[in-house]
Amino acid sequence: CPNCNEEFLSIEAVILHLNSQSTCWPHESRPQQFPIPPGLRGSHSSASSTTGSYHPRSGYVFGVGNNLFDRLQEDQYEYRRKINTYYPFHDEGEWELARFLVENLTQTQIDKFLKLKWHEYGDYMSADMAWKIQDHLPVGATQVPIILGSDKTPVTRTTGGLEMHLLFITIGNLDSEVRSKATLRAWHCIAYMPIAKFRVHPDYQSILQARLWHRCVDLVCANLKVAAKDGCFMPDPSRYICYVFTPLVSHVCDLPEATMIATVSKSASPITMATQANFGDGVLYPPRTGQHTLQLVYEISKEVNPWDLDKFQKAAKVVHLSGVHMPYWRDWTFACPSVFLTGEVLHTCIKFFADHPLNWIKETVGKPELNARFMVQHKRVGTRHFTKGVTHVNQMTGREH
């Protein structure tokens, strides 16, 4: 016996001795019952004819202990592995990336790759802004980020050319792929705002229309502002009641409407401090924050009555403002035009290409040559073929590519 040095006639006897109730093992080290391997059993203990050779001083069992797998399971990160099978990786995608790097790159190349400064942002909840806002909310609060969209839309074309401002709304809790599909109806129209014609001098027409638009949005979104400031209780789709706050995180619009929302003149950027004289100089200017704009309006209002349109508009233009003295976002908690004014693809990319690079190419190459190059291209599934060229296209809708 390896413990008490008592001699036995066979290995079976040693194992029986170690498994007996009067074993010489200390109580805290006492092993469980160990079966005798089939190769060591005699013909009396098994009907099998299997036999084996063994060294009489090999293969002793000295107790039961934790193996490597057991030690891994007992460390401080065990609870994380129960939640995430791929821990210490974030998810299956990150694990597959690590596996790809190990299988295809050298360690030096992997080190260079890991030093790259890259981040992945998806929906609003993955952005830094969502986390910063959450830091200022009460414990247990839930964000329902508000996304607005607006544009001037013609209502009638033949009978007077009536136009209206449509205001749409959705929430950032929905997946971006859901919001981008019109058939899923994630966007809802909440207001039709008329574009009034005031009986005033033409110089004051645009400032009054902009003020009326801001006042309308102010009324429509009044309850959302209260919820953004104080919060409200509402049930979610699973009927769980949450303490909800509604910050304005995005207002999707084109450039003319962005300047109206930011209450700046047409010669200034709605989101940065750059003006027309600075456009194209390659300098990154600081953001035009809402606090800065409101401060300028306040200083002008101390000197000039906002309803003295002539004097107020002139004073506003000096500091590159439009003359709107009460923008709808002024009392919307966490709202800042330099953040929530986000460009949309149709105008910032597609229309920009049609209005500028495409016109440059027409002048450089010539319309006949440009049309000929598009017409001779082979037809391909997934790409539109311009059988008559591209110079006749008057409006870009996003389906031309």
Side-chain angles (χ1 to χ4, degrees), residues 336-358:
C336 180
S338 64
V339 176
F340 69 69
L341 285 178
T342 52
E344 33 80 32
V345 176
L346 178 61
H347 288 88
T348 58
C349 297
I350 299 175
K351 195 172 185 302
F352 169 80
F353 170 79
D355 292 345
H356 300 286
L358 183 59

Side-chain angles (χ1 to χ4, degrees), residues 364-380:
T364 304
V365 180
K367 293 183 179 180
E369 177 65 21
L370 182 62
N371 287 331
R373 294 188 181 187
F374 273 92
M375 289 187 290
V376 298
Q377 289 182 350
H378 293 285
K379 293 184 179 182
R380 180 180 178 183

Side-chain angles (χ1 to χ4, degrees), residues 98-398:
R99 180 179 178 181
F100 172 82
L101 295 177
V102 172
E103 293 179 349
N104 296 277
L105 301 180
T106 64
Q107 187 61 47
T108 303
Q109 293 172 328
I110 293 176
D111 293 339
K112 290 182 179 180
F113 175 83
L114 296 178
K115 291 179 181 179
L116 297 177
K117 296 181 179 180
W118 60 276
H119 301 275
E120 179 180 353
Y121 294 100
D123 291 321
Y124 164 77
M125 292 302 181
S126 65
D128 294 336
M129 178 183 174
W131 290 67
K132 292 178 180 178
I133 292 178
Q134 193 69 39
D135 291 338
H136 293 84
L137 298 181
V139 177
T142 300
Q143 291 188 53
V144 178
I146 301 300
I147 302 176
L148 299 178
S150 59
D151 195 11
K152 183 186 297 185
T153 304
V155 179
T156 60
R157 293 186 179 274
T158 59
T159 57
L162 180 63
E163 291 182 326
M164 279 190 175
H165 266 291
L166 274 64
L167 184 65
F168 295 86
I169 189 173
T170 186
I171 57 176
N173 305 82
L174 300 177
D175 190 88
S176 59
E177 294 185 358
V178 175
R179 295 198 305 269
S180 62
K181 295 181 180 179
T183 56
L184 297 180
R185 302 182 182 275
W187 290 84
H188 286 271
C189 183
I190 57 175
Y192 291 89
M193 294 173 287
I195 301 177
K197 301 294 183 182
F198 294 91
R199 294 179 180 178
V200 296
H201 192 276
D203 293 344
Y204 311 133
Q205 194 71 234
S206 60
I207 184 175
L208 290 176
Q209 290 177 349
R211 288 186 178 186
L212 176 61
W213 183 88
H214 277 274
R215 181 56 178 162
C216 291
V217 179
D218 200 5
L219 295 173
V220 172
C221 299
N223 290 336
L224 292 175
K225 294 182 183 181
V226 175
K229 180 181 178 182
D230 302 324
C232 65
F233 290 94
M234 64 175 62
D236 65 6
S238 300
R239 301 185 180 87
Y240 295 115
I241 297 178
C242 302
Y243 191 23
V244 172
F245 287 78
T246 55
L248 176 63
V249 300
S250 178
H251 192 139
V252 183
C253 58
D254 55 16
L255 181 59
E257 196 143 343
T259 57
M260 181 184 68
I261 294 172
T263 68
V264 300
S265 62
K266 297 179 180 179
S267 61
S269 168
I271 58 176
T272 71
M273 297 301 296
T275 60
Q276 189 172 6
N278 311 126
F279 293 166
D281 60 7
V283 178
L284 180 61
Y285 288 87
R288 185 181 294 273
T289 63
Q291 183 179 2
H292 172 77
T293 301
L294 294 176
Q295 182 64 33
L296 293 177
V297 172
Y298 173 74
E299 293 175 357
I300 298 174
S301 300
K302 289 193 302 182
E303 304 293 335
V304 183
N305 184 352
W307 290 107
D308 189 345
L309 297 181
D310 184 60
K311 294 182 179 180
F312 192 86
Q313 189 175 31
K314 290 179 179 178
K317 286 184 177 180
V318 174
V319 290
H320 305 287
L321 296 183
S322 64
V324 174
H325 65 298
M326 295 182 67
Y328 81 87
W329 44 262
R330 68 191 183 281
D331 54 350
W332 201 321
T333 308
F334 306 116
C336 180
S338 64
V339 176
F340 69 69
L341 285 178
T342 52
E344 33 80 32
V345 176
L346 178 61
H347 288 88
T348 58
C349 297
I350 299 175
K351 195 172 185 302
F352 169 80
F353 170 79
D355 292 345
H356 300 286
L358 183 59
N359 285 332
W360 302 338
I361 297 172
K362 290 178 183 178
E363 295 296 329
T364 304
V365 180
K367 293 183 179 180
E369 177 65 21
L370 182 62
N371 287 331
R373 294 188 181 187
F374 273 92
M375 289 187 290
V376 298
Q377 289 182 350
H378 293 285
K379 293 184 179 182
R380 180 180 178 183
V381 177
T383 303
R384 179 169 177 175
H385 184 258
F386 295 89
T387 57
K388 298 180 180 180
V390 293
T391 58
H392 69 283
V393 178
N394 296 322
Q395 185 177 11
M396 292 290 180
T397 63

